[in-house]
Amino acid sequence: MRYKSKLAILALSTTCLVPFGALAADDFDVGAAEVKKEAPTYLSFVEGGFGYLTESSPHFGRFSGLDDKGLFFVGNASVIQRTDNLNFRLDASNVGTDARAVRVEGGRQGKFGAFLSYEGIPALKFTDTQTPFNGTNYLSLPTGWVPGATAQAMAAQVTAALHDVTIGQERQRYGGGATWQISPEWSLSGKVRREIKEGNKTFGLVFGSQGGTRWSAVVPEPVDYVTETADVALNYNTRKLQVQFGYEVSLFDNVDPHLTAENPFTLTAAASGNNGGVATVQLPPDNSAHLMRLAAGYNLSDTTRLHANFAYGFHFQDDEFLPYSTNPAFVATVPLPRDSLDGEVRNTLAEVGFVTRPMTQLDLRGSFRYFDRDNQTPQDLYNYALVDAATQGGNATAQARYNHPYSFTQYKAKLDAGYRLTPSTRLNVGYEYEDFERTHSEREENQTHTGKLGVRTRLANNLFGSVGYERSKRTGSTYDGMHPLEEGHHADYVAAQAGVATFGPHPGMRKYFEADLTRDKVKGSLSFMPTQAVSIGLSGNYRKDDYTETEKGLTGAPSWTATADISYSPTNAFTLSAFYSYDQSKIEQNGHHSAALIVNPDAWFEYDIKDVGHTAGIAANWDIVKDVFKLGMQYTYSRYTSKMDLTTGPATPAEGGLPENETKLHTVGLTGDYSIAPDIVLRLGYLFQKYDTTDWAYDTLGATSILRTIAMDESWDDYNAHVFTTAVRMKF
Amino acid sequence: MRLFRRAFIAIGLSLLWATAVPTAAEAADKEAATQVAAADAKAEYAANGEQTCLKCHDKAPATNILHTKHAVKGDARTPFANHQCESCHGASPQHTRKGAEGEKRAPPTVTFGPKASTPVEEQNKVCEGCHENSARISWKGSQHQFAGVACVSCHDLHTPRDPVLSKTSQPEVCFNCHKQQRAELHKPSHHPVIEGKVGCAECHNPHGSPTDKLLSGITVNDTCYQCHAEKRGPFLWEHGPVREDCTICHTPHGSVQPALLKNRAPFLCQQCHQIGHHPFGARGDTDLAGFQPQLVGKACLNCHQQVHGSNHPSGVRNMR
């Protein structure tokens, strides 16, 4: 594929989805790529202009920050200055929006260097979802709120109190770093980053609980995180030996560690909860992580190399606990076993490997990986209060629970061989073995064997192909579905549950990540270049997961993807490229309806969920007048659907499948660059996006549609957005 | 464990065999190396360095190399501080020599790219001569290296701005081979990779890593915690699969379902949780019409929000 064809595909897939990036940013090939012997070489540019968005849409602008209708500033720059002694580079993009990024770096190449960076990363979701609650980390109800038994009983009151709230977050990343080449062999590098993430997301907050009945509200959860990271590495490099010793630290601080909300409900007398009071939840606690790394590579000979990676680190978390309940009437009969978790996890990694060519035709590689998550967090008995109830559970109840500090250990060995059957055909064979051991789980060990076979060949001078097949089989130790429950409850409660059929999961349930699994994977590709100007690529993947011993739970998951790419470049001045991908994944899972019917073999059901995706695109770039006028065009179309079909047994209450969810996105982009002078380019752009989506979970859901839950609408909005931009690029 | 030990022993023996026994290939390589060294000693590098090459190669993209890091002569490590173009393309007197009229000029000793006559291993050797350093310790033996990917398949040296080194253009370089990921990253729920806000190389290390998927962290979860540190914990009440591997529930490149989930609640939850003491069961159109909280809105998460873990003493059911 010609370089320009690659660029065309590049432009197609990225720029169509970067609303104004397509129009103004980062096509760095311009300038330098068109240099002539006698023409000046432009390495740098500064670009400024304006754009206009015709429709406000948080979804359209979710990652670009371009969510409000109206004018915006287009600003991009890239400046490179390099001499034999010093170098300087500045890159700035999208400076007129919340997605702006700036990076400045400089130094003396081969001696020292430093950089500073800033980047905004919006992740906007909704601007018009609604809630009756006010505030951020203390959510209050409007004055005069009259609690009701259900959301529906308070419908008028809730509806009157609803107001818009924006859901989404924005990250602001500040970074810096430096490198120092101490000697030809030794170097030191370090970087730091401070990230502030602010905004909110939604939280399903429970105010009351009675058996399987809950009173809850989906509320805005404040997000106010600060994460600071630092990474320093000392490097030693020679032709034979390369070593790196590094240390990383990450400190996470949640400025709003708790969320409290006033209870909008009147709970029944038998319900647990804080009737007439507030409910408080713990948000992500502050934590820290430290990691020491040692990596080394050694060339034993020209044909054999060894490498090793070792790491040892900690995760700490010791935020002060909230009380069992914030209910003023709560009196702890059994105190908290500790004031904070004193959580500590020790991670150990050891990975060693080799690659060698013992014969001219044969390549071998092998590796062994050991990873251990050793959770040293203390294990205690917690007699918890259910959703801010006034009382806590005794040892003979389900509310006396031991925490489970999960630990696991992974051993993995791999061996691969590549053999050149002919100069143009290579046969690959591989084998992997994994042993995975975990604590506090239904299944303490899994073993997985994987075999791989593949051929890569040049069928003709202009035709390449490859096929591969892989099968893995996972088994393991005895599956004991009761084990975590028996281990997690107090012995008094476990004894009282003896013989109770509804204590614990269905005996046929197998959690899919622990279950026996046979996985088959087939992949293939063809690459054909019938002429110098045309390139065609076809590829496909098929995967079938078969959970062989699972009666209830996930039983199968087949999926496949097929892709076609074509590019056409009759001249250097014109490129055309297109692609299409189809992917389909299915989920087959079985279940058993209702605890009360657990012993009834006819109370079964089966879900068949099928997700289908079509993604297609076409792009063209045409230098109509070389160095003076060029046009670009892109179009992408994607359509995704998800459909669930349900089959039920004779004893299962009648339920049918669900409507198909569908998402469609059309994107059209047009760009035109006109050189007013050799160093001045007028850039015009137009982008259109049309987005349509349906989602049964939200489409007809109102704030009080659910009997005992005050809901928030979290469906994406449809939009038809047009963006017009004009900018002037000065090259120098 | 027994099988594991056998596998380990097999690998160990293979390694021993590979490293201890001098092979024909090694001998051949040594001979070749000796020949190269000898050739280098008497190599006929162009007397005028890059100026010789620029007599013909006077247009972009060839000339763009002059504006790159590789052309900084003040840095003794660079090609241009040594034999300029021929540092990478090899001493090529047969190429620089003017032949008889009508005679096709011989190619440089080393050529790069998919149509190059130089084998990928030899192309990469040129790059590895300088770049086999602590940043690429695991390159040899990595998936890309073992699959015969050339350095220049991803890197463009003759440009001051290599597309693969920019977050905005990097994905398309990767998509040249990773078509499935391209399709997934267009799905309704995705990381902002095609939008240029997350680069592939923020999660993956294409030059090799101690993980299966060339991850930048030492595990899947450690990779995710680089941006999602709030989910790191450890928590008082942990959710086992969450601690084990984020990809048990999430598919990181994109999903038709919300929140990059492999399946949405309640169906995803029901793949593991069909327990007693809870109103579990078949959820379908009747429940949709009745707005059952187990199905609509956030479904299970209408109540059990803390699926990533809770640090509340009463949070064992993920409700606090």
Side-chain angles (χ1 to χ4, degrees):
Chain A
M1 184 184 299
R2 290 186 179 185
Y3 175 67
K4 286 220 165 189
S5 305
K6 289 185 180 178
L7 280 182
I9 293 174
L10 186 158
L12 169 63
S13 290
T14 29
T15 56
C16 280
L17 291 146
V18 186
F20 58 98
L23 312 178
D26 289 330
D27 50 346
F28 289 148
D29 60 316
V30 174
E34 305 303 331
V35 71
K36 286 181 178 177
K37 187 179 182 181
E38 66 280 12
T41 299
Y42 300 111
L43 284 183
S44 306
F45 69 85
V46 175
E47 182 175 289
F50 291 94
Y52 183 78
L53 171 65
T54 61
E55 180 177 325
S56 295
S57 166
H59 191 199
F60 176 74
R62 61 176 167 159
F63 296 130
S64 67
L66 201 61
D67 54 293
D68 284 332
K69 175 183 175 179
L71 278 174
F72 63 94
F73 174 65
V74 174
N76 302 286
S78 182
V79 179
I80 293 180
Q81 296 291 326
R82 186 172 284 130
T83 70
D84 277 346
N85 289 317
L86 298 171
N87 62 75
F88 170 83
R89 179 167 174 172
L90 179 148
D91 290 302
S93 60
N94 304 324
V95 296
T97 72
D98 291 340
R100 62 186 64 87
V102 180
R103 181 183 165 99
V104 183
E105 63 182 59
R108 183 171 179 186
Q109 191 174 310
K111 299 292 182 188
F112 59 87
F115 77 91
L116 289 172
S117 65
Y118 167 81
E119 183 170 21
I121 306 177
L124 192 61
K125 289 195 170 175
F126 320 106
T127 52
D128 57 354
T129 188
Q130 295 190 311
T131 179
F133 291 92
N134 300 293
T136 52
N137 56 3
Y138 184 92
L139 299 174
S140 61
L141 291 160
T143 307
W145 184 269
V146 180
T150 66
Q152 290 176 357
M154 300 185 286
Q157 184 179 219
V158 170
T159 303
L162 289 176
H163 59 89
D164 287 352
V165 60
T166 296
I167 299 294
Q169 303 104 44
E170 183 176 354
R171 295 171 193 255
Q172 315 245 12
R173 283 182 178 169
Y174 304 86
T179 58
W180 178 28
Q181 189 72 38
I182 303 166
S183 72
E185 292 82 25
W186 291 92
S187 66
L188 186 65
S189 62
K191 58 186 176 183
V192 294
R193 187 174 88 178
R194 178 181 171 84
E195 180 186 279
I196 298 165
K197 184 178 177 183
E198 293 175 311
N200 56 28
K201 51 188 180 179
T202 60
F203 191 105
L205 202 161
V206 184
F207 295 93
S209 175
Q210 181 184 354
T213 302
R214 303 276 191 268
W215 288 261
S216 71
V218 178
V219 299
E221 172 195 340
V223 173
D224 195 353
Y225 305 155
V226 179
T227 307
E228 294 169 326
T229 57
D231 185 343
V232 62
L234 178 66
N235 308 296
Y236 175 78
N237 294 308
T238 66
R239 295 297 288 267
K240 274 275 186 192
L241 176 68
Q242 302 83 42
V243 182
Q244 182 180 70
F245 175 73
Y247 169 70
E248 297 169 29
V249 59
S250 169
L251 310 172
F252 169 75
D253 176 27
N254 189 354
V255 179
D256 285 322
H258 312 129
L259 173 62
T260 298
E262 294 176 352
N263 184 356
F265 297 102
T266 304
L267 307 178
T268 59
S272 295
N274 188 358
N275 221 348
V278 299
T280 301
V281 296
Q282 169 79 54
L283 300 180
D286 296 352
N287 66 66
S288 64
H290 306 259
L291 187 72
M292 290 165 285
R293 309 184 310 260
L294 176 65
Y298 185 72
N299 291 316
L300 270 177
S301 70
D302 283 348
T303 54
T304 302
R305 179 174 169 84
L306 308 177
H307 77 261
N309 287 282
F310 303 101
Y312 186 70
F314 301 90
H315 293 172
F316 295 118
Q317 190 276 108
D318 201 24
D319 247 18
E320 191 175 348
F321 280 150
L322 283 165
Y324 279 124
S325 170
T326 51
N327 191 329
F330 176 75
V331 178
T333 52
V334 184
L336 274 170
R338 49 182 51 250
D339 296 330
S340 60
L341 184 62
D342 194 18
E344 178 182 329
V345 172
R346 299 175 187 173
N347 293 317
T348 307
L349 169 78
E351 191 256 357
V352 292
F354 74 91
V355 59
T356 186
R357 178 173 288 177
M359 298 158 54
T360 309
Q361 296 89 352
L362 179 65
D363 292 313
L364 284 175
R365 69 168 176 167
S367 66
F368 166 66
R369 175 185 159 95
Y370 166 83
F371 180 79
D372 182 53
R373 181 186 201 256
D374 180 13
N375 196 335
Q376 294 283 317
T377 302
Q379 192 173 16
D380 293 293
L381 182 69
Y382 291 81
N383 294 78
Y384 73 89
L386 186 61
V387 294
D388 287 289
T391 58
Q392 63 189 142
N395 289 347
T397 73
Q399 291 172 241
R401 297 290 292 267
Y402 293 98
N403 61 310
H404 282 165
Y406 285 96
S407 296
F408 61 84
T409 306
Q410 179 199 39
Y411 305 88
K412 191 162 193 173
K414 296 196 282 190
L415 188 62
D416 288 286
Y419 188 79
R420 279 174 212 78
L421 293 168
T422 69
S424 58
T425 302
R426 178 171 150 128
L427 174 71
N428 292 306
V429 182
Y431 171 73
E432 292 179 16
Y433 175 73
E434 182 187 48
D435 183 87
F436 197 96
E437 299 170 5
R438 55 173 84 79
T439 63
H440 308 298
S441 297
E442 295 82 0
R443 199 170 209 185
E444 294 188 342
E445 275 192 46
N446 279 120
Q447 289 84 33
T448 307
H449 301 268
T450 304
K452 295 184 246 182
L453 183 65
V455 178
R456 200 174 68 226
T457 186
R458 180 157 61 184
L459 299 161
N461 276 339
N462 57 357
L463 182 61
F464 299 85
S466 69
V467 288
Y469 172 69
E470 180 178 321
R471 165 166 271 223
S472 61
K473 197 164 178 62
R474 182 174 70 195
T475 55
S477 56
T478 304
Y479 191 97
D480 181 0
M482 297 300 293
H483 179 67
L485 288 171
E486 291 172 347
E487 196 190 27
H489 289 85
H490 193 278
D492 291 351
Y493 178 71
V494 175
Q497 294 298 309
V500 177
T502 54
F503 177 62
H506 189 284
M509 161 61 71
R510 297 288 180 271
K511 294 186 175 181
Y512 62 96
F513 63 98
E514 303 170 336
D516 285 1
L517 168 66
T518 300
R519 171 173 290 172
D520 293 288
K521 288 163 82 172
V522 181
K523 62 180 178 181
S525 69
L526 267 180
S527 178
F528 180 47
M529 284 165 278
T531 70
Q532 283 286 339
V534 178
S535 168
I536 299 168
L538 300 170
S539 61
N541 294 283
Y542 173 76
R543 188 174 95 168
K544 183 172 181 238
D545 286 357
D546 189 1
Y547 295 86
T548 47
E549 301 297 319
T550 299
E551 184 186 339
K552 303 295 177 190
L554 183 63
T555 57
S559 64
W560 64 281
T561 305
T563 296
D565 280 78
I566 183 165
S567 70
Y568 174 57
S569 308
T571 69
N572 283 334
F574 182 79
T575 60
L576 178 70
S577 58
F579 76 90
Y580 170 73
S581 284
Y582 175 86
D583 64 275
Q584 175 183 303
S585 61
K586 286 181 74 176
I587 287 170
E588 299 156 359
Q589 68 184 84
N590 295 341
H592 200 89
H593 191 84
S594 176
L597 297 171
I598 204 160
V599 294
N600 186 339
D602 290 334
W604 55 266
F605 63 88
E606 291 177 6
Y607 293 132
D608 282 294
I609 300 165
K610 184 172 162 184
D611 293 350
V612 174
H614 304 265
T615 313
I618 184 167
N621 286 296
W622 186 16
D623 287 351
I624 297 171
V625 181
K626 189 168 170 58
D627 295 334
V628 176
F629 184 39
K630 69 176 180 180
L631 284 176
M633 183 283 290
Q634 303 96 32
Y635 171 71
T636 57
Y637 168 75
S638 57
R639 178 175 181 264
Y640 302 98
T641 57
S642 180
K643 178 83 172 74
M644 189 277 275
D645 291 319
L646 174 62
T647 312
T648 54
T652 304
E655 288 272 5
L658 292 168
E660 184 176 78
N661 284 341
E662 182 185 45
T663 300
K664 284 192 291 189
L665 178 70
H666 298 266
T667 304
V668 177
L670 297 171
T671 58
D673 283 7
Y674 179 70
S675 291
I676 301 167
D679 57 350
I680 301 175
V681 180
L682 174 66
R683 315 194 78 204
L684 299 173
Y686 168 71
L687 182 78
F688 169 67
Q689 269 195 358
K690 178 177 171 57
Y691 179 83
D692 298 292
T693 187
T694 58
D695 185 343
W696 50 257
Y698 288 103
D699 282 346
T700 57
L701 182 70
T704 58
S705 299
I706 304 172
L707 181 62
R708 293 184 187 85
T709 297
I710 299 174
M712 288 176 76
D713 180 9
E714 295 189 57
S715 57
W716 295 109
D717 57 338
D718 294 348
Y719 63 82
N720 294 285
H722 303 262
V723 185
F724 302 90
T725 60
T726 178
V728 174
R729 172 173 285 194
M730 306 288 292
K731 299 190 287 187
F732 53 97
Chain B
M1 282 304 295
R2 190 177 298 162
L3 272 168
F4 160 73
R5 282 192 206 102
R6 284 180 188 167
F8 187 52
I9 289 166
I11 288 175
L13 289 174
S14 304
L15 177 60
L16 198 65
W17 170 65
T19 57
V21 181
T23 64
E26 207 166 300
D29 278 4
K30 273 182 183 164
E31 191 182 333
T34 309
Q35 285 171 356
V36 167
D40 202 52
K42 58 177 182 182
E44 293 178 46
Y45 288 106
N48 294 323
E50 79 272 23
Q51 295 305 324
T52 305
C53 308
L54 288 169
K55 283 179 187 170
C56 298
H57 301 282
D58 59 347
K59 292 186 178 66
T63 52
N64 286 339
I65 192 74
L66 301 173
H67 311 297
T68 69
K69 289 183 173 182
H70 284 111
V72 174
K73 292 184 176 177
D75 181 356
R77 306 169 304 172
T78 65
F80 273 64
N82 294 285
H83 299 295
Q84 295 82 44
C85 306
E86 291 175 302
S87 294
C88 299
H89 289 283
S92 305
Q94 78 287 0
H95 179 68
T96 55
R97 195 177 298 128
K98 194 174 178 182
E101 193 158 335
E103 183 188 345
K104 193 176 178 187
R105 195 179 285 257
T109 304
V110 181
T111 53
F112 297 90
K115 294 175 184 169
S117 55
T118 306
V120 168
E121 293 82 15
E122 297 303 315
Q123 293 180 40
N124 287 358
K125 260 187 188 171
V126 174
C127 308
E128 289 161 3
C130 296
H131 293 283
E132 187 168 67
N133 56 27
S134 47
R136 280 163 281 273
I137 280 174
S138 301
W139 163 249
K140 284 183 180 163
S142 69
Q143 286 90 322
H144 283 146
Q145 184 269 338
F146 204 72
V149 175
C151 303
V152 296
S153 295
C154 307
H155 290 284
D156 187 348
L157 277 70
H158 284 255
T159 171
R161 298 177 179 88
D162 184 355
V164 80
L165 299 182
S166 166
K167 267 202 296 196
T168 52
S169 45
Q170 184 181 79
E172 289 305 323
V173 178
C174 305
F175 294 161
N176 279 327
C177 295
H178 299 280
K179 312 288 188 191
Q180 186 175 348
Q181 284 71 26
R182 175 179 64 187
E184 288 175 350
L185 281 160
H186 281 80
K187 288 182 176 176
S189 176
H190 61 266
H191 281 113
V193 174
I194 49 178
E195 287 83 359
K197 302 309 288 181
V198 173
C200 304
E202 289 185 52
C203 302
H204 298 280
N205 184 346
H207 297 126
S209 140
T211 61
D212 284 346
K213 302 292 182 186
L214 295 176
L215 296 173
S216 53
I218 60 172
T219 62
V220 170
N221 285 26
D222 269 36
T223 304
C224 302
Y225 298 153
Q226 291 171 8
C227 292
H228 303 284
E230 76 277 9
K231 295 182 173 63
R232 184 165 51 205
F235 295 93
L236 167 60
W237 305 108
E238 297 200 318
H239 191 178
V242 174
R243 297 301 112 198
E244 209 168 282
D245 188 335
C246 302
T247 63
I248 288 174
C249 299
H250 296 280
T251 176
H253 293 116
S255 173
V256 177
Q257 308 299 345
L260 290 164
L261 288 167
K262 287 181 172 174
N263 196 357
R264 65 164 63 202
F267 314 118
L268 177 65
C269 308
Q270 287 184 319
Q271 289 175 3
C272 290
H273 300 285
Q274 297 188 32
I275 58 170
H277 304 283
H278 196 277
F280 69 88
R283 299 291 167 201
D285 55 358
T286 308
D287 283 342
L288 178 61
F291 292 104
Q292 288 302 307
Q294 296 89 353
L295 180 69
V296 298
K298 293 169 79 78
C300 305
L301 278 72
N302 282 322
C303 300
H304 302 280
Q305 175 71 47
Q306 304 276 48
V307 290
H308 294 108
S310 169
N311 206 50
H312 192 296
S314 297
V316 64
R317 296 187 185 183
N318 299 332
M319 293 194 292
R320 279 290 177 268

